[in-house]
Amino acid sequence: MPATATRLAGFTESVIRATTRLANQHQAVNLSQGFPDFDPPEVLLAALERAARGPSHQYAVTYGDPHFREALARKIGMFTGMPVDPEAHLVVTCGSTEAMMAAMMTACNPGDKVIVFSPFYENYAADAILSGAQPIHVPLAPPDYALDLDALKAAFAQGPKAIVVCNPGNPTGKVFTRAELEAIVALAEAHDAWIITDEPYEHIVYAPHEHVYTHTLPGAYERTLVCNSLSKTYSITGWRLGYVQGPPPAIRQARKVHDFLTVGAAAPLQEAAIAALQLPRSYYDEMTAQYTAKRTLFLEGLARTGLSYTEPQGAYYVMVDISPLGFATDTEASEWLITEVGVAGVPGSSFFREPEHRYIRFHFAKREATLQAALERLARLKAGR
Ligand code: GLN
């Protein structure tokens, strides 16, 4: 067999997705890959049934069905207060995963440097390598994952073409403050770099923290490519609907990348998802309240194990320090948790650039009964392993 491309040696298959497969094999309660075990809103399911009998079974416009883009533009405008032109500012993609890849390929030439915080959502390193860019890692050190402005300045001094900002953060649960985002924007402006944001958890933020949309800050709009998805907001991770939002000249380029990567997101799902985008503000308030209750339930249970963790400010992940259990690596700990305890979490090392093996990432986007079942199993950790 001829050799495969050398760039593929630079990263492994997703540890998140592999952990889900292992969890399924052992019937563990799966708190690894972040997706809900409850249904999407009823209005969305009804729209999906109608879409099945509707006309949308062939290719949609590659950069998004016009009605879907209109609904999306209105929904984004409702939360950001900034007008969105559905024709000029948006490319609909297969999830934020494709949006990130398209944004990276739109912003970066092979050989360019891209700032990625560590820990980071594992796709970003692969996205950078696949687009030919080289990640420069800036630590967000546990347990508080505070932004180290000096380290960030030093990274910008290396002349990066872009910085990736996941906000609210996966896996940290960090919600960047307005002041932190303003500092990032100022550095990006000073060094003429793109800001690529990944914001699928925009509506999952716990009071008193608030989500600030980076692209709405002064000086940010013309250098920000927003990547986002409907997956988490409407509990439809399998629908693979996302988008890139940005200034028109960049969006024209991003459309080309998207067109040749995937042609388009699924047409009937775009049609059905319009119903979700038309939901009133109260839907989002209720969802935030539900996730707040799940967070309380799960963190209280975790506290009873005696293990320490960083309270997430947003998103639905929690990094738990499993070092008291005495495993050599987090991968061993994760395998033991799956096979012996019956609960799956992602080895934290898959998110870190540094050799960091103290953490397991659990998520709590699950029904109360599922979380209770997981907590009953995890309760035995109080006594050690
Ligand atoms: N964002 C989710 C996680 O971090 C899953 C994403 C995915 O597997 N595509 O677990």
Side-chain angles (χ1 to χ4, degrees):
M1 188 188 96
T4 54
T6 47
R7 65 173 171 273
L8 300 177
F11 56 95
T12 63
E13 268 193 75
S14 158
V15 177
I16 298 175
R17 270 80 85 187
T19 311
T20 272
R21 291 195 292 273
L22 195 64
N24 291 343
Q25 212 176 314
H26 292 276
Q27 283 105 44
V29 182
N30 187 6
L31 305 186
S32 63
Q33 187 180 22
F35 62 88
D37 65 349
F38 42 88
D39 283 337
E42 180 52 39
V43 61
L44 197 48
L45 300 180
L48 181 60
E49 280 175 26
R50 286 195 303 276
R53 296 288 160 200
S56 302
H57 295 290
Q58 313 308 327
Y59 304 122
V61 173
T62 57
Y63 54 94
D65 169 77
H67 296 116
F68 178 80
R69 269 184 287 116
E70 274 165 31
L72 182 59
R74 264 197 306 275
K75 185 263 167 186
I76 299 169
M78 172 161 102
F79 286 98
T80 62
M82 270 171 75
V84 180
D85 178 348
E87 198 52 35
H89 292 143
L90 295 172
V91 189
V92 177
T93 58
C94 300
S96 196
T97 298
E98 189 212 334
M100 284 298 297
M101 192 71 235
M104 200 83 91
M105 294 186 86
T106 300
C108 297
N109 286 309
D112 281 343
K113 293 177 180 138
V114 179
I115 298 177
V116 176
F117 291 108
S118 172
F120 57 92
Y121 176 53
E122 57 177 19
N123 282 40
Y124 305 153
D127 291 343
I129 293 167
L130 285 172
S131 61
Q134 287 164 8
I136 312 175
H137 291 283
V138 173
L140 284 177
D144 56 358
Y145 303 108
L147 180 64
D148 177 345
L149 211 48
D150 290 331
L152 189 61
K153 281 180 189 159
F156 268 104
Q158 295 180 48
K161 189 71 191 304
I163 176 169
V164 174
V165 181
C166 182
N167 184 33
N170 176 7
T172 59
K174 178 182 176 64
V175 173
F176 284 80
T177 63
R178 183 177 296 273
E180 286 175 327
L181 293 172
E182 281 170 352
I184 292 171
V185 173
L187 283 166
E189 267 190 301
H191 295 272
D192 197 24
W194 284 99
I195 304 167
I196 301 176
T197 68
D198 190 17
E199 307 182 55
Y201 308 96
E202 62 183 312
H203 299 294
I204 306 178
V205 176
Y206 308 107
H209 304 281
E210 276 177 15
H211 184 67
V212 175
Y213 292 91
T214 306
H215 72 281
T216 65
L217 296 174
Y221 165 79
E222 65 277 9
R223 60 180 60 258
T224 304
L225 294 171
V226 180
C227 299
N228 210 334
S229 115
L230 280 64
S231 292
K232 310 308 198 286
T233 303
Y234 308 111
S235 306
I236 48 172
T237 61
W239 288 32
R240 314 308 304 127
L241 290 177
Y243 60 93
V244 184
Q245 181 197 350
I251 289 300
R252 281 196 291 278
Q253 303 300 332
R255 277 183 194 172
K256 292 192 288 190
V257 180
H258 159 74
D259 189 1
F260 289 107
L261 276 177
T262 63
V263 178
L269 299 183
Q270 291 185 61
E271 186 186 322
I274 292 171
L277 295 167
Q278 291 170 337
L279 284 165
R281 225 171 233 280
S282 56
Y283 168 77
Y284 302 89
D285 295 339
E286 279 161 30
M287 190 193 60
T288 306
Q290 278 164 13
Y291 274 109
T292 303
K294 289 182 196 305
R295 184 183 74 147
T296 304
L297 171 74
F298 194 61
L299 296 188
E300 281 175 4
L302 273 182
R304 288 194 293 274
T305 67
L307 295 173
S308 56
Y309 55 84
T310 304
E311 193 174 284
Q313 302 168 341
Y316 48 51
Y317 304 101
V318 53
M319 293 287 260
V320 180
D321 182 348
I322 43 88
S323 54
L325 298 179
F327 287 95
T329 66
D330 54 349
T331 308
E332 262 178 53
S334 162
E335 282 168 12
W336 179 80
L337 282 165
I338 291 171
T339 55
E340 300 298 323
V341 180
V343 181
V346 183
S349 55
S350 67
F351 305 104
F352 281 90
R353 168 71 176 168
E354 303 80 14
E356 175 61 83
H357 295 279
R358 276 178 297 169
Y359 298 98
I360 293 282
R361 189 199 75 174
F362 291 116
H363 84 90
F364 50 84
K366 293 285 185 254
R367 286 176 290 127
E368 193 180 315
T370 310
L371 294 175
Q372 294 285 14
L375 290 171
E376 273 165 32
R377 296 175 181 200
L378 290 173
R380 71 179 259 195
L381 299 183
K382 192 170 172 51
R385 40 199 271 215

